[in-house]
Amino acid sequence: MERVRCLIIGSGPAGYTAAIYTGRANISPVLYEGLQAGGQLTTTTEVENFPGFPEGVTGPQLMENMRSQAMKFGADIRMGIVTKVDFNQRPFKIEIDEEKELLADTVIIATGASAKYLGLDDEKKYAGMGVSACATCDGFFYRNKTVAVVGGGDTACEEATYLAGLARKVYLLVRKPYLRASKIMQDRVMGNDKIEVLFEHNAVGLYGDNGVEGVHVVRRKGEADETRYDLPIDGFFLAIGHRPNTEVFAPFIDCDETGYIITKDGTPRTNVAGVFAAGDVADTQYRQAVTAAGSGCKAAIEVERYLVENGL
């Protein structure tokens, strides 16, 4: 059975950065790319806030650059999905695609988090053409435009407030007749004259020729006074939460109630010595490419230290 010194699971900015650093440290990392090589950034058209690209760069290009850099330093990058792990034995045992097994002295989990969507066909149709799940990533493109944010929790209120600093008008579409957000976030939203909260509103579709031009909404869905109308907008932002991709690790790794991996004392260390977490899989706060890359670097340095300390 193949044995590797460092297995990296996931291929976004965190995974690729970890591969660059472990590769340069002569650890010969093996990285499995998972379902979506390049992670969430491959669904983003223009990235303008990653340092070193004053003219901006597309998400897929940025990921391809990182991938090439990791390979340059000897990372073995493979297609495949981790379907099972056993972190009780050492070296750790990992199953790929329900068939291949390998052993790893250390593991970096960088499987990311997937934004939750409403499940509308139009969300896929207009992906990268007006539909976004990250206001801080894409808000800049909607300066002086009209946008809608879907959600009623802290994330939605935060995104609406952020977008109000850029956009001309922000509609907050809330399914319930109230906001679930904390009092301070509710006050910020209600006190912002650029934000209009539309309670008991469901988005049921989007329309537009070359991108989002509006949203089909239903007010008081299923009630006697249900009304349907079209709301003209330029951008549609989902803020109904993220789902960390941690199911396969949950039997061994401590996670919070949402599924995010709990790390120790601001480091990438998990409750299992030799297993580290990097990127959005352990980040409930920032979820940016640059913070993911930084955590990938930290995880790689921790791997190097662990291998030396344990004579591996």
Side-chain angles (χ1 to χ4, degrees), residues 6 44 83 90 101 104 110 113 123 151 157 175 182 195 197 207 212 228-229 235-236 252 269 290 298 310:
C6 177
T44 303
T83 44
R90 290 175 190 274
E101 287 185 338
E123 287 170 322
C157 288
R175 198 163 40 94
S182 56
I195 302 173
V197 183
Y207 62 90
V212 171
R228 293 173 178 258
Y229 65 97
F236 185 74
F252 306 95
R269 295 195 290 270
V290 70
K298 289 183 193 176
N310 290 277

Side-chain angles (χ1 to χ4, degrees), residues 142 145-150 156-157 159-173 189 192-198 231 233 235 237:
Y142 298 93
K145 293 186 176 180
T146 300
V147 298
V149 176
V150 178
C157 288
E159 304 253 298
T161 305
Y162 175 81
L163 288 165
L166 298 162
R168 181 175 65 244
K169 171 84 174 177
V170 180
Y171 292 105
L172 185 58
L173 303 180
V189 164
N192 193 315
D193 58 7
K194 278 194 180 179
I195 302 173
E196 185 178 339
V197 183
L198 301 176
L231 188 66
I233 56 167
F237 287 84

Side-chain angles (χ1 to χ4, degrees), residues 18-141:
I20 291 166
Y21 272 77
T22 48
R24 288 187 76 244
N26 220 21
I27 292 168
S28 304
V30 168
L31 181 151
Y32 275 94
E33 293 189 302
L35 270 176
Q36 191 176 14
Q40 286 187 79
L41 265 193
T42 55
T43 64
T44 303
T45 44
E46 200 70 24
V47 179
E48 292 190 328
N49 54 4
F50 199 88
F53 293 90
E55 302 303 317
V57 60
T58 67
Q61 186 60 58
L62 180 60
M63 289 300 90
E64 185 52 44
N65 290 357
M66 285 190 184
R67 188 179 193 275
S68 299
Q69 197 170 352
M71 290 175 73
K72 175 188 170 186
F73 292 116
D76 181 351
I77 296 177
R78 305 174 182 177
M79 300 278 289
I81 299 164
V82 169
T83 44
K84 193 175 179 184
V85 300
D86 184 353
F87 290 158
N88 283 336
Q89 70 163 71
R90 290 175 190 274
F92 305 119
K93 192 176 188 180
I94 290 92
E95 179 189 84
I96 313 293
D97 294 330
E98 298 184 342
E99 48 185 34
K100 177 181 166 66
E101 287 185 338
L102 56 80
L103 301 173
D105 295 321
T106 58
V107 172
I108 295 175
I109 300 170
T111 45
S114 305
K116 292 179 185 172
Y117 286 83
L118 295 173
L120 308 174
D121 289 341
D122 289 341
E123 287 170 322
K124 294 191 190 82
K125 179 180 174 182
Y126 294 106
M129 296 165 58
V131 171
S132 171
C134 180
T136 45
C137 310
D138 301 324
F140 186 74
F141 303 112

